Amino acid sequence: MNKKAFYHLSYGVYLCTSWDEGRPVGCVANSAMQITSSPATLAVSLNHDNYTNKCVGDTGYFSVCVLAEDCDPKLIGKFGFFTSREKDKFADFPWKVRGKLPVPDGALCWFACKVIDKMETSTHTVFLGEVMDADILAEGTPMTYAYYHKVLKGKTAANAPTYQAEEKSGGRYVCRICKYEYSGDVPFEQLPDDWVCPVCGAPKSRFEKL
């Protein structure tokens, strides 16, 4: 099977959020779509290992937040490469309760959903949610999965449905946390000691040479 064929499917970059006994939680999702228009229904796919999956199942509610191309890349880094089980992902970003669910201010728009059904696969849960409320927070161009990879040079977390292991070669520096590959004009060794990963905020010391 040529797995590169999957790169030609269309995906977005979203945040899926919910509650954990009153604490906001969330993760990055790239498999979200509208299923019906009346009643408006969305579907989102979350890995069984994502703590947000458990929280959506426990509460029966989730939001889908659309990210723009010019969003803060650290949103993707924090929500995509850390677990809400151990870290408060909302601590470094302004957010509000919108449609009874936590939504970061950096989102382009949001949809608040009530779970009406779900389907289990061997690795993921697909939640179907009836949209209770939705709104637009800013103007902008929605980020696509292709833009995230080709322009932002972002990587995919291992829990994502679209994850594919990449071959490694020498001479490159990669973040151990989010797998961002440094490609700046300044040699990596000459970067200042307080330089941090532009995606997840990890310090320079967390990079490794391939």
Side-chain angles (χ1 to χ4, degrees):
M1 184 193 321
N2 186 351
K3 293 186 177 180
K4 291 183 179 179
F6 290 100
Y7 290 142
H8 294 284
L9 292 174
S10 296
Y11 302 94
V13 180
Y14 315 100
L15 299 184
C16 180
T17 71
S18 191
W19 295 108
D20 177 26
E21 297 182 352
R23 182 176 68 97
V25 297
C27 65
V28 169
N30 54 32
S31 295
M33 67 188 76
Q34 182 177 356
I35 301 299
T36 62
S37 59
S38 182
T41 305
L42 300 185
V44 64
S45 176
L46 300 178
N47 192 288
H48 292 160
D49 291 335
N50 280 343
Y51 191 67
T52 304
N53 182 319
K54 174 185 180 300
C55 297
V56 172
D58 289 346
T59 64
Y61 293 92
F62 66 88
S63 74
V64 173
C65 309
V66 180
L67 298 181
E69 290 182 348
D70 61 354
C71 78
D72 184 349
K74 291 183 179 179
L75 267 174
I76 301 174
K78 183 62 67 71
F79 280 81
F81 295 96
F82 295 90
T83 173
S84 292
R85 183 181 289 105
E86 302 171 354
K87 183 178 289 290
D88 181 1
K89 298 183 182 182
F90 287 79
D92 299 328
F93 307 100
W95 62 279
K96 293 186 178 74
V97 176
R98 296 177 167 100
K100 299 183 179 181
L101 286 153
V103 175
D105 290 356
L108 188 65
C109 63
W110 56 269
F111 303 86
C113 303
K114 177 181 180 180
V115 176
I116 57 175
D117 205 348
K118 67 178 182 178
M119 179 184 70
E120 297 290 349
T121 73
S122 60
T123 59
H124 288 69
T125 304
V126 178
F127 291 100
L128 296 182
E130 183 174 341
V131 179
M132 305 178 300
D133 199 1
D135 203 0
I136 296 174
L137 299 180
E139 296 298 325
T141 302
M143 185 184 299
T144 64
Y145 189 66
Y147 181 91
Y148 171 67
H149 277 281
K150 294 179 181 179
V151 180
L152 298 185
K153 306 300 182 183
K155 301 300 180 182
T156 304
N159 285 350
T162 51
Y163 173 76
Q164 293 185 25
E166 298 180 9
E167 295 182 0
K168 296 182 178 180
S169 60
R172 307 198 309 269
Y173 286 86
V174 175
C175 177
R176 295 176 185 172
I177 304 298
C178 70
K179 308 306 178 186
Y180 166 82
E181 181 179 324
Y182 176 74
S183 59
D185 296 330
V186 178
F188 185 83
E189 295 84 352
Q190 297 178 19
L191 291 172
D193 291 338
D194 60 354
W195 182 87
V196 298
C197 175
V199 173
C200 71
K204 181 181 176 183
S205 61
R206 298 306 300 273
F207 276 68
E208 64 180 349
K209 185 176 182 179
L210 298 181

